[in-house]
Amino acid sequence: MKATRLGAAGLVTALLGTLVAATPANATPRTTSTDTTTCTTDAATPKRQFRAMWISSVVNIDWPSKASQTSPDRVAAQQAEYRGLLDLAERLHHNAVVVQVRPTADALWPSPYEPWSEYLTGTRGQDPGWDPLAFLVDESHKRNLEFHAWFNPYRVSMPAPGGAGADLNLLAPGHPARQHPDWTFAYPPAGVAGSRLYYNPGIPEVREFVQTAMMDAVRRYDVDGVHFDDYFYPYPSGTHQVPDDATFAAHNRGFTDRADWRRDNINLLIQEMNGKIKAAKPWVKFGVSPFGIWRNKTADPLGSDTTGSQSYDIISADTRKWIKQEWIDYVVPQLYWYIGQYPAADYARLVPWWAETVRGTRVQLYIGQADYKSGDPAYGPYWQNPRELSDHLTLNRSYPEVQGNVHFSAVQVRANRLGATDIYAAEHYSRPALVPAMPHLPAKPLLFPVVTKAARQADGVRLTWRQPADGAGPLGTATSYAIYRFDGTTLPGRCDTADAAHLVDTVRATPGGTQSWVDTTAAPGQRYTYQVTALDRSANESPASPPAFSLR
C-alpha cells in the first residue's frame, strides 16, 4: 500500500518502523516518551524564548541609513544593510525581528492608502522603485526569523527641521491628512518647539482609516505579527493640552469624563485591530510595546511599586485592560530602567508586576530592553556596568511568565558598548531557541519528519529529510524545522529535547518534498545522532523524527 493511502494513525505506525530498522546495534537506549513536563532543564538554554531587536525606520535610526539614500545604487545599499542586520540577529541566536514599516502615516510598501515613506529616498512620497516590505519579509523568513510588522497608528509627522512639523503643506502630495485636515491636530501647538501632526484618535473615521491602511500590509504580505509601540495620544509637552474639545463634543459616545473617553478610543483601536487581524489571518500575532508603567500603586492599588509617569493617564493607554481582555497576544513593556536604587521605576520591581499581570491570561510577556542606554554616560553610572543588561535577563529567569526579550534598537545592539551585547549573548543566548508557541492560535497536528540520509561530506554532515502528508487532510503544514544533535550513537529520550542543549539550528521549510541542511560544525571523524522536528507557523512542534546516525 502506498504511504499516501494510509490514514494518519497508520502512517505514523508505518514510520515508526524506520526507528527500529535504522538503529545501530550498539546505540544507547533511552526512554522515548514525549512528555517533558517533569524534565530538569537548564535555565541558560531554554528551548523556547522570544528573542528580537527593534529595527526602527523613523528618522533613519536603524534601517535604512540616511547615507544609503544617496548611494549610487540605493536599493542594493539598503538591501545589503538589512542583510547585515539579519546577520547580526543570526549571530545572537535571535528568532524574530520587529521592523518599523509605517513610521509616520506613510508606508514602506506600495500602499493604495498612504504615501511612500521619506526614510527610503529622503523625499516624502517618492516611489523608491522597489517593494521594500516584500524584501524585508522574504529575507527574514530565509533566515527563519519571524517578521513582526511595526506600525505607528496616529503619528503623521516628525518635528521640524527635518520633519514636516505642524505644516500640512509639507506632507507628501495627496497625503490623506492634506485631504482631511480636520482629521489632524498639531501637538504641541504650531509654533512651539517640537510641534508635529497627529491623527485624532477620537474621530471614528480616523480610527477606521488607520486600521484599513495597516491591514493592507497584513493582507498582502506574509507577516508573522503586527506590532504597536507606545505612541497613542501624544506624550504631554509642558502644560499644553491636546486640542480635542470639538471632537469630544461631537463623538463622546455618552462619556462625560474626557480621560475615560480617550482611553476608550484607544481601547477600541486595540480591540478592533485584533479582530480584523484574526478575521483576515488567524495565525498572525498582535502585540503592543507600552511604556513600562501602567499606574503607580499610590494612584491605583492594582498598580506597580513605582512613582514614574503612568501610561494610563498621560497617553490614555490602559494596557492592563488589553491584557485582561486578551485583545493582544503578547506585550513588551519598555522596562528601560536599571536594577535597584531607583524608586521611580526599578526594573526589579516592574518585572514581577508585569509577570503577575499576565498570569492566568493567554497573553505572553516579553521585556523591552534598553540597549541604547548601555555604556552611554548620559544615562548615569548604573548604565556603565557592562553586566547590567545581562543581569536583567538573569532576573527574568525567576519569573516563568517572562518568555523573551526585545532589544532597542538594532544599531545599539550592534554597537556592543562595554561589550554588553557579547556578555548577555554568551550568558543567555548561547544556543538557538524556538519562539514560544501560542496554543490559542489555530493549529493542526504535524507528523514527524523522516530523515532519509545523514551523509558526511567535505563541509560537514548533510541531513536530508521529508515531511510526510504535509498539510494533507487534518494534518498541519511544516513552516520550519528544528534540528537536534547528540554526540555518539544513541536513542534520545524525552528529556533530551526539553531544552536547547542539543538544538543546533532551525531552518525554514523550502518548496518541494525534500528538505536538506548541512551541519558545518560537525567534527571530522565524530559520530553523531540527529533528530529533526517540524514546526508550523505558530511554532507548534511535531514529535521528533526517528534518529539518524552519522557513523564517520
Side-chain angles (χ1 to χ4, degrees):
M1 181 181 292
K2 294 181 179 179
T4 53
R5 298 281 303 276
L6 288 171
L11 185 55
V12 171
T13 301
L15 292 172
L16 281 172
T18 65
L19 174 61
V20 177
T23 303
N26 63 345
T28 304
R30 304 186 189 181
T31 176
T32 57
S33 169
T34 58
D35 180 12
T36 61
T37 56
T38 59
C39 297
T40 300
T41 58
D42 185 350
T45 57
K47 179 171 179 172
R48 293 185 182 271
Q49 186 178 56
F50 192 84
R51 301 172 185 168
M53 55 189 176
W54 278 290
I55 300 177
S56 181
S57 60
V58 69
V59 300
N60 302 102
I61 290 175
D62 294 305
W63 183 89
S65 72
K66 190 77 171 176
S68 73
Q69 296 171 354
T70 56
S71 172
D73 189 337
R74 174 174 41 79
V75 175
Q78 293 180 351
Q79 291 182 349
E81 287 180 353
Y82 188 70
R83 289 190 181 104
L85 294 177
L86 297 187
D87 290 344
L88 173 65
E90 282 194 305
R91 287 198 301 272
L92 297 175
H93 289 145
H94 285 192
N95 46 35
V97 288
V98 183
V99 184
Q100 192 173 35
V101 300
R102 184 181 182 267
T104 53
D106 50 9
L108 270 66
W109 73 96
S111 168
Y113 302 101
E114 295 183 304
W116 282 105
S117 175
E118 66 186 280
Y119 305 117
L120 293 166
T121 65
T123 301
R124 297 180 191 108
Q126 181 176 320
D127 187 337
W130 63 304
D131 186 340
L133 183 51
F135 171 82
L136 299 173
V137 173
D138 184 57
E139 287 295 311
S140 302
H141 285 169
K142 285 179 182 177
R143 317 289 187 105
N144 200 33
L145 297 166
E146 280 197 342
F147 186 91
H148 290 238
W150 168 14
F151 303 92
N152 190 287
Y154 292 122
R155 183 171 60 201
V156 175
S157 67
M158 295 297 287
D167 191 343
L168 284 162
N169 295 320
L170 294 181
L171 299 176
H175 195 294
R178 296 180 69 168
Q179 298 172 354
H180 302 277
D182 55 309
W183 284 5
T184 70
F185 59 73
Y187 187 86
V192 175
S195 181
R196 67 184 78 182
L197 292 167
Y198 293 86
Y199 279 130
N200 189 334
I203 299 175
E205 292 82 4
V206 166
R207 192 173 72 249
E208 178 66 26
F209 171 77
V210 298
Q211 291 178 37
T212 298
M214 294 185 289
M215 283 302 301
D216 178 63
V218 176
R219 290 190 173 95
R220 292 170 55 196
Y221 298 88
D222 190 22
V223 302
D224 300 290
V226 169
H227 185 93
F228 288 176
D229 54 25
D230 57 319
Y231 288 96
F232 298 103
Y233 275 88
Y235 279 90
S237 176
T239 59
H240 301 294
Q241 300 299 308
V242 172
D244 58 359
D245 289 353
T247 310
F248 182 53
H251 303 290
N252 59 58
R253 299 187 302 281
F255 280 92
T256 56
D257 183 277
R258 192 178 310 197
D260 288 342
W261 168 75
R262 286 178 180 165
R263 277 187 289 273
D264 193 60
N265 291 333
I266 308 303
N267 290 344
L268 288 171
L269 170 73
I270 299 298
Q271 183 180 19
E272 292 170 0
M273 191 68 187
N274 181 58
K276 289 180 178 179
I277 293 167
K278 296 303 188 287
K281 293 183 176 179
W283 59 88
V284 171
K285 306 167 186 178
F286 181 35
V288 178
S289 178
F291 180 75
I293 299 173
W294 171 70
R295 299 199 88 187
N296 299 313
K297 187 180 293 186
T298 53
D300 190 315
L302 297 174
S304 52
D305 186 14
T306 50
T307 60
S309 298
Q310 306 170 106
S311 62
Y312 179 93
D313 299 283
I314 64 171
I315 56 173
S316 306
D318 191 355
T319 49
R320 185 179 184 277
K321 182 169 187 173
W322 307 344
I323 292 169
K324 296 303 184 182
Q325 294 295 322
E326 298 182 338
W327 292 338
I328 54 179
D329 298 302
Y330 68 87
V331 64
V332 193
Q334 298 172 24
L335 302 191
Y336 294 169
W337 301 286
Y338 52 79
I339 295 173
Q341 306 301 315
Y342 188 52
D346 182 347
Y347 185 91
R349 296 180 182 182
L350 281 161
V351 169
W353 185 88
W354 284 99
E356 191 281 329
T357 299
V358 302
R359 192 173 299 140
T361 76
R362 65 189 189 190
V363 177
Q364 294 184 355
L365 173 62
Y366 319 139
I367 304 298
Q369 300 292 344
D371 289 53
Y372 72 97
K373 289 187 174 181
S374 181
D376 188 335
Y379 296 106
Y382 283 91
W383 287 104
Q384 300 308 303
N385 175 9
R387 297 196 50 81
E388 180 68 28
L389 288 170
S390 190
D391 289 347
H392 288 195
L393 274 57
T394 300
L395 186 149
N396 291 355
R397 293 180 186 172
S398 300
Y399 301 92
E401 293 82 7
V402 180
Q403 298 189 55
N405 299 277
V406 186
H407 297 267
F408 189 83
S409 64
V411 296
Q412 306 295 339
V413 173
R414 184 173 60 195
N416 190 26
R417 285 188 297 274
L418 307 178
T421 302
D422 290 340
I423 293 171
Y424 71 67
E427 296 183 354
H428 300 278
Y429 299 162
S430 64
R431 307 292 299 177
L434 311 180
V435 298
M438 290 190 173
H440 65 279
L441 299 182
K444 296 179 179 180
L446 291 162
L447 289 183
F448 55 73
V450 175
V451 180
T452 57
K453 184 179 289 188
R456 177 73 68 168
Q457 57 188 43
D459 57 347
V461 174
R462 179 174 291 278
L463 295 186
T464 306
W465 66 89
R466 296 184 66 85
Q467 182 64 27
D470 194 24
L475 299 172
T477 300
T479 300
S480 62
Y481 297 92
I483 300 151
Y484 300 87
R485 186 184 74 189
F486 308 87
D487 290 340
T489 54
T490 184
L491 298 182
R494 66 183 179 89
C495 290
D496 291 320
T497 58
D499 62 19
H502 298 286
L503 180 64
V504 289
D505 204 357
T506 69
V507 296
R508 199 75 174 181
T510 56
T514 301
Q515 309 292 313
S516 183
W517 170 85
V518 177
D519 182 2
T520 58
T521 64
Q526 172 69 44
R527 292 187 172 195
Y528 294 108
T529 301
Y530 293 92
Q531 286 189 305
V532 181
T533 61
L535 299 107
D536 65 17
R537 68 173 308 137
S538 296
N540 299 295
E541 189 176 26
S542 76
S545 69
F549 305 96
S550 172
L551 302 180
R552 60 183 181 86

